[in-house]
């Protein structure tokens, strides 16, 4: 079967990998040269611990407070946008304890499926992307976060993540003895791993090219040719690509593209920034998330240390903002007071747009409107983690095999009314 995959991020490439392995002829089309999409500069967490979706009770109130501070972890570019308003209303509706509860098992199972695939890849000779399974720390500074952490650990145990531990201050400091830390305590999620995303992406690309997957770069998909409830070809400004099946893995650009097919997915680009230092003294033993600061740090690929964060609901054309970067640098110093991160010029800062669905869960599966379209987007904060597993599921859907996990939870038309 001829399959066209739109988008060469981790979702598109892992889909191409599993589809090629399953015997399909695959073409990946990307509007860029695929060297710097959201799948490169992320924190690299492969994290079954992230069983809580983005839309949680309390995040709306917290988000509104943060919006008053230009260096805070959350920002919404003020603008009159119907899609932003619709997204915001759905987000608020979805942010309930019941929905958080319902999402936990599906997210855990999805992450485990994906983790298994990353481990498999790392065992193959063509892949060495610095996968490490050393766990993840979540570090907190306030009593409120400590109380929440206790519940999170209980929930993790209920979900079978039995190696999860609540750490008091001295236990936490013992895990990071090389640097002074300002913290009250932490959680240690032993279930998590991390990769060096840049290597995952580069090695997947090289492997797919070797195996004959065709890449079309610097061409944006602008429309579709349709007949009898099917997509017959994918169109760019200059070319037409015939397809038996189409995978929409176009990340933060997917809402506009889906509109061409009369499909409504609620999705906003959530920009985040990261800086990667090499051979730096500001290096930790473990990847960690600073709970109140909403910053992620990762020691990766031997000599690198990545610092990333912020969630800026914006457009994909808005220039990057230095005050968001300063927010990350200052947050790091609040937890590690000895870490004087060099302030880069804005052109040296990496940023990417997380494809944020209105409930923080992927849109994955076929649609009722187009029988040969598979949506694979909206992975929000966990696209790297769920990436390899998404590819496997996409191939299973196209091959009409039973999927490795139940994907009904990720129905791409769940908000399409
Ligand atoms: C600071 C930061 C830290 C993060 N940390 C983590 C983490 O630790 N773990 C985790 O799991 N996730 C993390 N994420 C989220 C993760 O990076 C994303 O969820 C993931 O990269 C999304 O992958 P994607 O393939 O859907 O999108 P992308 O990587 O953005 O790829 C989409 C591709 O589609 C192409 N495209 C779009 N429209 C078209 C079109 N019309 N025609 C042709 N091509 C098109 C784009 O050019 C792009 O290359 C982080 C994100 C950020 C910003």
């Amino acid at each position: 079967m001829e399959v066209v995959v739109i988008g060469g991020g981790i979702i598109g490439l892992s889909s191409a990998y599993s589809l090629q392995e399953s015997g399909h002829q695959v073409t990946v089309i990307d509007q860029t040269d695929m060297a710097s999409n959201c799948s490169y500069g992320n924190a690299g967490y492969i994290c079954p611990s992230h069983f809580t979706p983005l839309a949680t009770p309390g995040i709306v109130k917290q988000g509104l407070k943060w919006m008053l501070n230009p260096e805070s972890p959350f920002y919404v570019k003020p603008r009159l946008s119907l899609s932003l308003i619709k997204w915001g209303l759905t987000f608020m509706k979805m942010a309930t304890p019941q929905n958080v509860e319902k999402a936990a098992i599906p997210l855990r199972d999805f992450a485990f499926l994906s983790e298994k695939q990353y481990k498999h890849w790392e065992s193959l000779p063509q892949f060495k992307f610095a996968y490490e399974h050393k766990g993840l720390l979540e570090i907190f500074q306030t009593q409120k976060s400590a109380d929440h952490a206790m519940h999170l650990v209980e929930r993790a145990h209920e979900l079978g993540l039995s190696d999860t531990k609540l750490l008091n201050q001295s236990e936490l400091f013992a895990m990071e003895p090389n640097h002074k830390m300002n913290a009250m305590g932490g959680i240690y999620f032993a279930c998590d791993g991390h990769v060096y995303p840049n290597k995952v992406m580069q090695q997947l690309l090289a492997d797919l090219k070797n195996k004959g997957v065709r890449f079309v770069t610097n061409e944006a998909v602008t429309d579709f040719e349709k007949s009898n409830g099917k997509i017959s070809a994918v169109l760019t400004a200059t070319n037409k690509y015939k397809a038996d099946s189409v995978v929409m893995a176009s990340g933060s650009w997917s809402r506009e593209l889906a509109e061409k097919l009369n499909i409504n997915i609620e999705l906003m680009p959530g920009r985040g920034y990261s800086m990667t230092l090499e051979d730096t003294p500001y290096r930790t033993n473990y990847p960690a998330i600073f709970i109140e600061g909403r910053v992620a740090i990762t020691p990766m690929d031997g000599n690198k240390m990545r610092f990333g964060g912020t969630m800026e609901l914006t457009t994909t054309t808005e220039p990057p903002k230095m005050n968001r970067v300063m927010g990350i640098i200052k947050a790091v110093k609040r937890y590690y007071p000895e870490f004087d991160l060099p302030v880069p010029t804005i052109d040296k800062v990496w940023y990417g747009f997380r494809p944020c669905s209105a409930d923080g869960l992927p849109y994955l599966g076929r649609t009722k409107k187009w029988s040969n379209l598979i949506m694979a987007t909206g992975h929000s904060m966990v696209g790297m983690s769920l990436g390899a597993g998404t590819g496997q599921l996409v191939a299973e859907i196209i091959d009409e095999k039973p999927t490795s996990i139940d994907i009904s939870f990720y129905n791409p038309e769940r908000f399409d009314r």
Side-chain angles (χ1 to χ4, degrees), residues 11 30-31 37-39 42-45 221 380-385:
I11 304 302
D30 201 288
Q31 62 191 0
N37 51 40
C38 194
S39 306
N42 62 66
Y45 300 161
V221 172
S380 310
M381 316 274 281
V382 282
M384 199 70 211
S385 186

Side-chain angles (χ1 to χ4, degrees), residues 6-12 29-32 34 37-47 201 219-222 249-254 257 270-274 308-310 350-355 376-386:
I6 309 170
I10 185 62
I11 304 302
I29 306 180
D30 201 288
Q31 62 191 0
T32 68
M34 295 183 295
N37 51 40
C38 194
S39 306
Y40 281 80
N42 62 66
Y45 300 161
I46 309 302
C47 43
M201 294 299 290
E219 263 186 62
V221 172
T222 50
S250 38
S252 283
W253 294 262
S254 303
L257 203 55
R271 179 161 44 198
Y273 301 80
S274 75
T310 90
W350 177 89
Y351 61 87
F353 298 98
R354 305 174 185 91
T377 187
H379 290 69
S380 310
M381 316 274 281
V382 282
M384 199 70 211
S385 186
L386 306 185

Side-chain angles (χ1 to χ4, degrees), residues 45-51 103-119 131 133 161 191-193 382 384-390 392-393 405 410:
Y45 300 161
I46 309 302
C47 43
S49 68
H50 283 36
F51 52 77
I105 290 177
L107 279 176
R108 176 203 64 185
D109 292 350
F110 202 159
F112 275 132
L113 175 76
S114 206
E115 190 183 67
K116 201 166 150 205
Q117 178 77 329
Y118 279 115
K119 281 184 183 162
Y131 177 87
H133 196 107
L161 309 177
C191 53
D192 288 356
V382 282
M384 199 70 211
S385 186
L386 306 185
T390 300
Q392 246 178 296
L393 293 166
I405 57 164
Y410 304 108

Side-chain angles (χ1 to χ4, degrees), residues 118-129:
Y118 279 115
K119 281 184 183 162
H120 166 63
W121 284 351
E122 181 77 357
S123 73
L124 301 175
Q126 69 270 37
F127 295 122
K128 286 289 159 269
F129 42 73

Side-chain angles (χ1 to χ4, degrees), residues 55 78 129 131 141 146 157 188 202 251 283 352-354 416:
F129 42 73
Y131 177 87
Q141 295 182 319
H157 290 165
Y188 175 59
Q202 285 155 359
R283 198 181 154 76
F353 298 98
R354 305 174 185 91
D416 200 356

